[in-house]
Amino acid sequence: MMPPADRPSGILSRAGRAVRSALLGFAAAAVAAGLPAQEPAARSTPTRPGTAPANVAPAAPKPAAPVAAPKAAAPRAAAPKSAEAKAPSAGAYVGAREFSRVLGLEPAWDAAKKQLVLTGSNRRFVLEAETREAEFDGVRVFLGAPAEIRQGELAISKIDYLKLLTPVVRPGQGAGKPPGLRTIVLDPGHGGRDTGKVNARLRVLEKEMTLDTARRLKALLEVQGYRVVLTREDDRYVELVDRPAVADRVDADLFVSLHFNAVEADVERVTGVEVYTMTPQHQLSANRQPDDQVPVFNPGNFNDHWNAVLGFSIHRDMLAALKVPDRGLKRSRFAVLRHARCPAVLIEAGFLSNDAEAARVATQGYRQQIAAAIATGIRSYAAALKQAQTRAGR
Ligand SMILES: [Zn+2]
């Protein structure tokens, strides 16, 4: 479990400020769209709405009035500070016909389920009206804002289109030069006086599980030729901000924070894996804690595009390998993600509050499986980088 530590970041770099001001035009559009005052519930139960096979003949996309392409926001001189403009602006949402065309996917609208199914090249994406929950290639993904019916067709927020759907469908598209992948920092959560979550009955400590899993993952990645650095090698306390600082120091290309989760209630039911990446600027995190960071550009936002590729790769590959309930790919402004200057991910690899899952996590064999699953996800991410590099080189 990750302590929220969702306070404003005081260490915006010069580069961060530059990017921040460059993004203001885009930001203005997002704010003008009016972020929902109350974040819709991000369903965390391992239900899988939208996975039922469509026994309804896929209908053609609803006939709709012509939809104007989203206009680029006019440059603004100052940062939009207030979210007073509550009136939704169509400009900050992108309609299905537009994004399916750009991404080369075939859309099919299921009116009964209010779902848009996008297919092509063995990919399948399900977006559902009035919810943030979506399904990408069979796994749960939480959008930053609910999909909506706008002007007779399903639309998603422009930020979700650019920073979630596009990276997952077309890694590298519109993202500039892909980053390298040579040095990987693994961050075993907690340590020392900070035990993290504890299953007292079974005497399973999160800080011990994360360190052992990180050591196993390190060995697997080193065999593949990566340089791997741990933020802690033993049972010691490391401040949250000092963890991504290790990545800075060794010029890391990738930061992976390892955690195990717990819930207070419903311990019998809640198990499985959830994966977090940094919340994009102007979006709401999946965890509904008050978040005064919404308009802020953090260092972690330098890599929104690659964070999405990374998070999706790891989440999908972990679920495929471990066959546990899918808690979703989510976004949060956890301190370690906020301060990371390279693509970064935080993995909650299981629930210690559930005795059966805690007992499994306590075995070396299962921790080895977790490490192998994460290594597979990193390999998928590396493949996506390579593909993007090849495309960029053409
Ligand atoms: Zn933790």
Side-chain angles (χ1 to χ4, degrees), residues 121-357:
S121 312
N122 289 321
R123 312 290 304 268
R124 185 173 187 273
F125 301 85
V126 183
L127 298 162
E128 185 177 330
E130 289 144 38
T131 176
R132 294 173 71 183
E133 190 165 339
E135 188 195 307
F136 291 7
D137 290 339
V139 306
R140 287 171 92 196
V141 174
F142 288 87
L143 306 176
E148 290 181 6
I149 306 287
R150 293 208 174 183
Q151 294 175 306
E153 65 172 351
L154 190 112
I156 59 173
S157 86
K158 193 173 176 183
I159 303 178
D160 284 323
Y161 165 56
L162 293 174
K163 292 173 178 267
L164 184 58
L165 188 58
T166 297
V168 170
V169 178
R170 300 251 169 135
Q173 182 161 305
K177 189 174 175 286
L181 186 54
R182 161 97 187 86
T183 301
I184 300 173
V185 165
L186 302 180
D187 174 42
H190 313 279
R193 65 176 190 264
D194 173 14
T195 56
K197 294 297 173 183
V198 175
N199 185 312
R201 206 173 70 80
L202 301 175
R203 305 179 67 175
V204 182
L205 272 58
E206 183 183 357
K207 67 171 184 177
E208 292 175 359
M209 301 299 104
T210 58
L211 180 56
D212 181 81
T213 307
R215 286 175 174 152
R216 292 170 187 277
L217 178 54
K218 179 176 194 273
L220 293 172
L221 294 171
E222 282 175 344
V223 167
Q224 293 179 48
Y226 294 113
R227 173 186 176 220
V228 182
V229 177
L230 267 57
T231 56
R232 64 178 178 98
E233 301 272 358
D234 50 23
D235 184 19
R236 71 177 64 200
Y237 180 76
V238 182
E239 294 284 352
L240 289 178
V241 292
D242 291 339
R243 295 167 184 261
V246 172
D248 277 351
R249 204 152 55 231
V250 302
D251 199 17
D253 304 300
L254 182 59
F255 179 88
V256 179
S257 191
L258 295 170
H259 289 259
F260 290 88
N261 220 333
V263 285
E264 304 276 316
D266 234 358
V267 296
E268 296 294 325
R269 192 181 57 87
V270 179
T271 62
V273 166
E274 59 193 11
V275 172
Y276 288 90
T277 57
M278 176 66 187
T279 314
Q281 186 185 22
H282 298 296
Q283 287 201 316
L284 294 162
S285 299
N287 45 4
R288 286 178 289 159
Q289 57 202 352
D291 191 349
D292 55 7
Q293 285 271 312
V294 168
V296 178
F297 184 93
N298 285 279
N301 292 122
F302 280 117
N303 292 292
D304 284 341
H305 182 100
W306 295 105
N307 287 344
V309 178
L310 172 68
F312 180 73
S313 299
I314 289 182
H315 188 58
R316 179 199 55 204
D317 291 355
M318 284 187 79
L319 290 170
L322 302 176
K323 300 185 169 44
V324 291
D326 179 357
R327 305 269 311 166
L329 174 64
K330 299 175 177 174
R331 265 86 74 85
S332 184
R333 292 185 173 88
F334 291 135
V336 293
L337 299 179
R338 223 170 52 228
H339 297 295
R341 288 168 193 281
C342 59
V345 65
L346 186 147
I347 297 164
E348 296 277 7
F351 281 79
L352 301 186
S353 45
N354 180 280
D355 282 351
E357 195 157 66

